[in-house]
Amino acid sequence: TSAVMAVVWGRRLLAPLGGRLRVGPRAPLRSVAAAAAAPLYDVVVSGGGMVGSAMAAVLGHDIHFHDKKIALLEAGPRKEYDHLPESYSNRVSSISPGSATLLSSFGAWDHVCSLRLKPFRRMQVWDACSEAMIVFEKDDLDDMGYIVENDVIMSALTKQLDEVADRVEVFYRSRAVGYTWPLPSHSCDTSPWVQIELADGRRLQTKLLIGADGHNSIVRKEAEIKNIEHRYDQSAVVATLHLSEATDNNVAWQRFLPSGPIALLPLSDTASSLVWSTSHEHASELLAMDEESFVDSINSAFWSNVNHSDFIDTAGAMFRSVISLLQPSGTAVRQLPPSIAKVDPESRAMFPLGMGHATEYVQHRVALIGDAAHRVHPLAGQGVNLGFGDTACLAHHLSAAAFNGSDLGSLKHLLKFETERQRHNVSLMAAIDVLKRLYSTRLAPLVLLRTWGLQATNALPPVKVRI
Amino acid sequence: RLSLFRVTRKRLFGTSHSSVDSKEMKKFQLLAHKWWDEEGEYSALHSMNDIRVPFIRDTLLNMSSSYHLGNPLSGVKILDVGCGGGLLSEPLGRLGASVTGIDPLEDNIRTADQHKSFDPVLAKRIQYKSSSLEEIVEESMETFDVIVASEVVEHVADLEMFIKCCSQVLKTEGSLFITTINKTQLSYILGIVVAEKILGIVPEGTHEWEKFVPPEELERLLESNGFSVKTVNGMLYNPLSGSWSWMESTSVNYAVHAVKSGAWGQPSPTGTLSEMDSQEPSATAGTTL
C-alpha cells in the first residue's frame, strides 16, 4: 500500500551511503592479473606533509595495526634534519595543546621539545580601529600553545616514522598520477581495492586511501568530491624578526588592521615570527622594500592609532565602563607588543590565502584529512591544528575498526569520522571566515559591532573558554 | 564421486535426518550474490558484526592467558557454521584466527571464496567448504577451539542433533557462540511483521516464527548435551540507525556463549556418538565410505 511504500522510500532516502558507493573507474581497468601483481597495502597515505606524516606515524604506532602494511607517498625528497640551522625558519605553526597530545602519543613531541619550540601563555588580540581587545590565557597560567617551526615538526615525524619502518613504508620522490576506484562491492569479478599509479610507473593497491595532499588535493579531485573554495584577496607575508630588547616573549600578539591581521608569534626571548595578512599589492610592496622600511611598517602597524575615530573611542569607553560595573574582572589593560629591530635577511616570503571546504570528507575506501579537506585563513592559527584533529579522530576510528576485524575501507566507520570532524570544523571555519570579513572594514557600524563584541567576549569567561 | 552421491541422497530423502532444511536452502539460493552489498538485503547482518565480533573476541580474550592485541585471535581455530557469504568469517580471519566456513549452499561458498580471494592474508587464513555440519563431523572430531553459529539455529531442521554435532567437533573447554531469534509475540511483530513485511530489513520469507528458538529451550538442549552455558545476552536492532546494541531482554534477538564441559560429570562423548549412529544411518553412511 502507499503508506508502506512511503516508509520504504523514506528508509532509502535515509540511507546516505548509496550515492557514495557508485564511484565508477576513472581510468580503464587493467586486467585482474596485472592488478593482482601490484603490492597490496592496508592503508596508503598520499602526501607527506605534517598532517600526512603524522597520520602514517600514528597508525604505525597503533597496536591494532601491528600486522598491517602502511605506505606513505611523498612527492618530494627525503629531507635530512640532522642538525638545525642557527636561524629560525620563516614557516612556523601555532600548535595547540590538543595537537601536542597527539604528537606525544607516538613519541614525536619529545623530539620537538629536544629541538626547539616556544610556549606562549597569553594571546592578545585587538582592533586597529578601536581600543577593543581580548586577552586569552589559561587560569592556571599553563601553556596555551606552542610556536614551532614546521621543519622541527617534520624532523620529529620523520624520526618516528623511521622507528616503525617495518610497518610503514615511505615512498619519497613518488607522486601519484592516477587513481582507479573500485566498483561497488557486489560486483565481484574486479579488484575491490583502490589502484594507485605512480609517476615512475610503479603501482600499488590499497584497502584505504587517505588523501593528505594539501588544498589542491589530487585525491579529492580524482574522487570527484566537490570543494567549496574561495580565494581571499589577501596574501600572507612571513618573516623572522629580531626584537629590540630581550623579553620573556611568551605572548602571541595579533592586531586586526583594516587591510588584514598582523601577528607576532614568539620564537625565543629575542626573536619572533611575523604573519601579516594583507592585500596582494601591499604584500608585494612589503617584500620589495628595504629592511629598515619593512621594520618600520611592522612597528607602526602594531603601535599606531591612526585608524581610531573619536566616535568609536567614546562608544568603546562607554561600553567598557558598563562592563566594569557588571563584571569587574572583565576588563584588562592593553599591553603593547615588543618593538622590532631587525628582520632576518632571507626570511621574507609571501603566499596567497584562500578558504576551502570539501563537501564530503569520505567515500568508499577514501578519506581526506588536513588541507585536502579544509583550508582556513591563518588569522586564528588553526590550520594545522584542524589537520592534526582530523588525524587523531580518523586514527581512533581506524584503530577500533581494526580491532573489530572490519574492512578498513568500509564507509561505516569512515562516515563516523566525517560526521565528528565536520561538526567540529565547519563551525570553526565559519567563525574564522566571518571574523576575517568582519575585521576587513573601517565602516563605523561594523567596527562598533566588533568592538562591543570583542569587549563582551573578553568579559565573558564561558565564551572565551570555548575559543 | 562420493560428494555427488551424498547430494543426490539428500534430494531423494525429503525428510532427511540432517540438520539442513532444503526449503531453507531454496530461500537463500536466490540471494547468494547479494551477501557483500553492505546496503542491500544483508545490511543488518553486516552491522551485526559491530556487536557479535567484539562479543566473540572479548569472550575469548578473557578466557585466554596470553594474546597480542595486534593479532588477538592468532592460533585460534574457528568453525563458522552456516557462514553464508563469509560475513563473519572475514572479520574473525582479520583478527588472526584460522577459520573454516561451511555452508550447505554451494553458491554461498562460491561467493565467499571469491570475496576472500583478493586479500592474500584472508585467502590463507580462511577455508570454505560447501557442506553441512554432519558431513564434516567424522573428519573433524575435536578439531576446533571455537564454533560460531550466528543466525543459523533458527533455520536448522533438528536442533538437538545440530548441538550434538557441535559438541563432537569442538575441543574440550572449547567455546560455542550462537546468535538467534526468540520465539515470542514481540519477535513475531518485530522480527517478521516489521522486519520483513514493513521495513524490508530482512528479505521476506527468510524467517518462520515456528522455528524460532526460545533461550530457555536452547539452554536446556545445550546443558543436556555437554555444554555449560556461560552467557545469554539480548540484542536489539534499531532500523533507523541501522545498528545493533545489547539489551537486558532476550525477547527478540539474543546471543549465547557456551563452553563444552570436560569428560567428567557430563554425558560421555562416545555415548552420544553411538546414539547418533543408530538413529541416522543415511546421513552417516556416506561419511563412513
Side-chain angles (χ1 to χ4, degrees):
Chain A
T1 68
S2 54
V4 171
M5 286 313 295
V7 175
V8 169
W9 272 109
R11 246 202 100 244
R12 297 243 173 89
L13 286 174
L14 283 176
L17 305 186
R20 305 214 208 177
L21 288 175
R22 274 119 187 92
V23 184
R26 298 288 148 241
L29 277 174
R30 306 221 183 330
S31 73
V32 178
L40 173 64
Y41 291 86
D42 292 285
V43 178
V44 168
V45 180
S46 182
M50 288 190 282
V51 175
S53 300
M55 186 80 234
V58 160
L59 292 180
H61 282 83
D62 187 303
I63 186 101
H64 300 304
F65 272 75
H66 187 261
D67 286 354
K68 310 251 184 271
K69 286 176 63 177
I70 304 163
L72 174 63
L73 302 177
E74 166 53 34
R78 182 191 163 103
K79 290 195 211 143
E80 287 312 328
Y81 300 100
D82 290 331
H83 62 276
L84 273 182
E86 274 281 326
S87 54
Y88 287 89
S89 155
N90 59 6
R91 295 307 304 268
V92 307
S93 296
S94 166
I95 301 295
S96 67
S99 296
T101 305
L102 169 71
L103 294 176
S104 62
S105 74
F106 57 94
W109 191 244
D110 285 338
H111 291 310
V112 170
C113 294
S114 69
L115 288 170
R116 59 185 179 214
L117 78 165
K118 189 74 175 74
F120 61 93
R121 303 234 170 82
R122 259 171 104 241
M123 209 158 78
Q124 178 176 298
V125 177
W126 74 111
D127 199 335
C129 299
S130 77
E131 290 293 319
M133 162 187 83
I134 184 168
V135 174
F136 296 96
E137 64 194 333
K138 286 220 174 120
D139 287 327
D140 39 2
L141 291 184
D142 242 353
D143 295 332
M144 271 194 67
Y146 312 89
I147 305 298
V148 189
E149 293 154 275
N150 293 358
D151 281 344
V152 167
I153 298 176
M154 279 310 304
S155 167
L157 292 174
T158 306
K159 231 188 219 142
Q160 288 311 97
L161 281 171
D162 286 343
E163 230 178 66
V164 288
D166 53 337
R167 246 162 280 157
V168 183
E169 216 176 316
V170 185
F171 292 76
Y172 289 102
R173 298 182 191 276
S174 301
R175 203 167 34 93
V177 295
Y179 297 103
T180 308
W181 310 111
L183 294 171
S185 45
H186 50 271
S187 136
C188 314
D189 38 354
T190 50
S191 169
W193 315 127
V194 178
Q195 312 290 325
I196 305 171
E197 187 166 342
L198 301 180
D200 59 8
R202 273 181 302 172
R203 305 186 48 255
L204 311 171
Q205 300 185 83
T206 182
K207 301 176 188 174
L208 172 65
L209 172 67
I210 300 181
D213 44 351
H215 66 261
N216 283 322
S217 167
I218 309 253
V219 173
R220 187 189 68 222
K221 289 184 187 149
E222 293 277 309
E224 300 198 339
I225 292 177
K226 282 208 201 40
N227 192 43
I228 301 170
E229 54 191 25
H230 177 79
R231 272 194 212 120
Y232 291 128
D233 49 4
Q234 285 186 344
S235 284
V237 173
V238 294
T240 309
L241 307 172
H242 295 278
L243 310 180
S244 306
E245 35 183 62
T247 161
D248 271 341
N249 208 13
N250 51 16
V251 180
W253 309 94
Q254 175 152 288
R255 192 179 198 195
F256 282 100
L257 307 172
S259 53
I262 179 171
L264 211 58
L265 307 172
L267 289 172
S268 73
D269 288 349
T270 55
S272 285
S273 187
L274 172 78
V275 182
W276 191 346
S277 310
T278 184
S279 68
H280 300 304
E281 306 79 46
H282 187 218
S284 309
E285 280 169 31
L286 286 171
L287 247 57
M289 59 175 70
D290 60 280
E291 286 184 18
E292 221 181 284
S293 314
F294 183 66
V295 167
D296 285 342
S297 307
I298 298 173
N299 285 324
S300 154
F302 275 114
W303 292 52
S304 138
N305 281 339
V306 70
N307 285 303
H308 285 208
S309 80
D310 288 334
F311 170 63
I312 298 287
D313 281 350
T314 318
M318 244 174 40
F319 197 62
R320 213 174 27 251
S321 42
V322 169
I323 289 186
S324 53
L325 278 175
L326 299 171
Q327 180 96 299
S329 60
T331 56
V333 177
R334 176 152 68 99
Q335 294 188 358
L336 286 170
S339 83
I340 308 302
K342 282 198 311 125
V343 56
D344 254 354
E346 303 295 310
S347 70
R348 274 188 270 178
M350 68 183 256
F351 50 90
L353 300 177
M355 77 82 96
H357 193 243
T359 50
E360 295 163 347
Y361 286 5
V362 300
Q363 269 187 11
H364 182 54
R365 300 204 185 285
V366 181
L368 299 176
I369 57 174
D371 280 4
H374 42 71
R375 182 189 182 199
V376 293
H377 195 283
L379 66 84
Q382 289 310 306
V384 81
N385 294 314
L386 285 178
F388 284 142
D390 293 343
T391 301
C393 180
L394 183 56
H396 164 80
H397 286 288
L398 289 180
S399 181
F403 194 44
N404 281 351
S406 303
D407 177 354
L408 289 176
S410 162
L411 261 178
K412 246 191 317 180
H413 51 264
L414 292 181
L415 280 174
K416 287 194 201 147
F417 152 74
E418 180 189 75
T419 306
E420 232 178 274
R421 288 312 290 171
Q422 281 193 336
R423 222 178 266 156
H424 175 273
N425 293 346
V426 170
S427 46
L428 185 56
M429 291 175 61
I432 294 174
D433 193 61
V434 162
L435 279 178
K436 188 256 167 213
R437 292 169 197 280
L438 184 60
Y439 276 93
S440 298
T441 174
R442 277 198 193 79
L443 293 177
L446 288 170
V447 174
L448 205 56
L449 172 72
R450 73 196 190 209
T451 299
W452 285 349
L454 204 56
Q455 286 176 324
T457 310
N458 194 35
L460 296 171
V463 179
K464 269 172 74 169
V465 164
R466 242 196 129 253
I467 302 176
Chain B
R1 315 158 311 284
L2 280 171
S3 49
L4 203 58
F5 188 58
R6 241 178 281 146
V7 169
T8 331
R9 289 187 88 126
K10 274 208 182 23
R11 290 219 191 102
L12 289 175
F13 292 94
T15 51
S16 89
H17 296 277
S18 93
S19 61
V20 176
D21 186 327
S22 52
K23 269 194 351 254
E24 299 276 357
M25 275 178 58
K26 268 206 203 63
K27 278 189 293 195
F28 284 101
Q29 173 78 55
L30 296 167
L31 296 168
H33 302 288
K34 304 288 186 77
W35 285 103
W36 286 100
D37 180 2
E38 277 187 40
E39 289 309 290
E41 280 83 355
Y42 289 113
S43 64
L45 278 182
H46 276 278
S47 58
M48 197 193 279
N49 277 342
D50 292 340
I51 62 168
R52 61 184 171 174
V53 173
F55 176 54
I56 297 169
R57 174 198 76 208
D58 293 341
T59 306
L60 294 176
L61 288 182
N62 279 331
M63 295 189 332
S64 145
S65 50
S66 72
Y67 53 83
H68 188 284
L69 279 176
N71 214 342
L73 299 184
S74 169
V76 179
K77 290 186 69 177
I78 303 185
L79 174 68
D80 183 2
V81 184
C83 62
L87 263 58
L88 182 51
S89 300
E90 288 203 5
L92 295 175
R94 283 195 198 97
L95 292 180
S98 302
V99 184
T100 302
I102 62 171
D103 196 280
L105 206 53
E106 273 189 36
D107 279 349
N108 284 348
I109 296 297
R110 208 170 302 138
T111 303
D113 262 327
Q114 184 168 57
H115 195 265
K116 74 157 192 183
S117 68
F118 292 104
D119 185 337
V121 167
L122 286 185
K124 249 189 356 184
R125 286 197 189 141
I126 308 176
Q127 304 306 321
Y128 291 114
K129 233 174 122 168
S130 169
S131 162
S132 71
L133 181 56
E134 298 74 22
E135 283 162 0
I136 64 156
V137 163
E138 182 151 307
E139 75 214 23
S140 321
M141 298 291 292
E142 303 219 336
T143 306
F144 295 101
D145 300 296
V146 177
I147 298 182
V148 302
S150 180
E151 305 304 298
V152 160
V153 300
E154 69 267 23
H155 298 288
V156 304
D158 183 338
L159 183 54
E160 179 146 28
M161 200 183 79
F162 181 86
I163 292 175
K164 287 190 209 287
C165 291
C166 285
S167 177
Q168 287 176 283
V169 301
L170 202 53
K171 293 183 189 162
T172 318
E173 307 290 323
S175 282
L176 171 62
F177 293 92
I178 293 177
T179 76
T180 187
I181 311 180
N182 196 349
K183 190 175 177 183
T184 59
Q185 273 192 339
L186 195 57
S187 74
Y188 181 72
I189 297 172
L190 292 182
I192 297 198
V193 177
V194 174
E196 288 186 16
K197 301 193 197 302
I198 297 186
L199 291 184
I201 301 166
V202 176
E204 190 154 351
T206 300
H207 290 128
E208 285 170 43
W209 187 79
E210 280 306 317
K211 300 181 74 173
F212 285 174
V213 183
E216 302 78 32
E217 159 120 2
L218 186 58
E219 269 186 85
R220 183 184 64 78
L221 285 172
L222 285 169
E223 297 273 350
S224 60
N225 281 288
F227 283 95
S228 163
V229 174
K230 301 289 184 193
T231 315
V232 179
N233 275 333
M235 295 159 57
L236 181 68
Y237 182 67
N238 179 338
L240 292 177
S241 64
S243 63
W244 289 87
S245 54
W246 295 111
M247 78 168 170
E248 271 290 325
S249 156
T250 55
S251 39
V252 191
N253 296 76
Y254 64 96
V256 172
H257 170 233
V259 172
K260 175 176 169 181
S261 316
W264 38 92
Q266 301 293 331
S268 68
T270 44
T272 327
L273 187 59
S274 49
E275 276 171 47
M276 240 193 65
D277 270 342
S278 56
Q279 277 174 19
E280 285 95 25
S282 51
T284 51
T287 55
T288 50
L289 281 172

